[in-house]
Amino acid sequence: MLRRLFLSLACFAAVMQPLAFVQAAEPALPAMSAEAAVKGYVDNLVTRIREVKPLYASDRAAYLTAVGEALTGFVDFNEVARGVMAKYGNSATPEQMQRFAEVFKASLVDFYGSSLADYSAADYTIVAATEVPENPVSATPVKMDFKTASGTLSVEYTMFVNVNSEWKLKNLFIDGINMRRQYYAQFDSMMLSNNNDIDKVIAQWAVGQ
């Protein structure tokens, strides 16, 4: 179950601002390390899950809103969505990219939130980094091991520094599986099935995911 939760997160939220194609200036590294930021985000998410679980049966909309808010603090869904669209983003309008980011976030929050209803807490620890990232602002890996009843799950978060100099998640690896690439394969297949009509793919994603 924990593996299923992380698979849904990947590719887990700042869709409140339009997608930016060019960053004017590289932001400064935050004073807080990427490892500390990830630990704080995960701690907050786990705590919030425990608080809102009773709402799943009585007020599902409120429950999903709370889960979405917790994930939004952690994940830059704009950046994730841009990675999922990959080459197709070159021909997409800013409006299409923004719309896909929104439906992508909604689909993941719905799936992830429903999965969290059965969530049982697991012990997790940060794995000390052994290498210095080439460009820490654009990509800093943070590894975390989750100990579950069935064994240890290895999770690697790809963090980056946004324009507000905050650490945000843009990709996730589950036991070595690149989750953004997995979602791209799905998007690519849907584009081929719809004659490269991005609007149709966005509409189908919103309905079917």
Side-chain angles (χ1 to χ4, degrees), residues 23 27-30 136-139 159-168:
Q23 186 169 296
L29 278 171
V137 170
S138 63
M159 306 298 291
F160 80 107
V161 182
N162 68 8
V163 295
N164 297 317
S165 292
E166 301 168 324
W167 289 110
K168 295 291 181 180

Side-chain angles (χ1 to χ4, degrees), residues 18-23 78-79 82:
L19 288 166
F21 291 94
V22 178
Q23 186 169 296
N78 282 352
E79 187 68 23
R82 180 165 40 239

Side-chain angles (χ1 to χ4, degrees), residues 17 22 24 31 46 49 81 102 111 114 124 126 129 175 178 203 205 209:
Q17 299 297 326
V22 178
V46 170
I49 289 167
E102 291 168 354
F111 179 80
S114 297
Y124 46 89
I126 295 286
D175 282 342
N178 184 329
W205 198 291
Q209 301 304 308

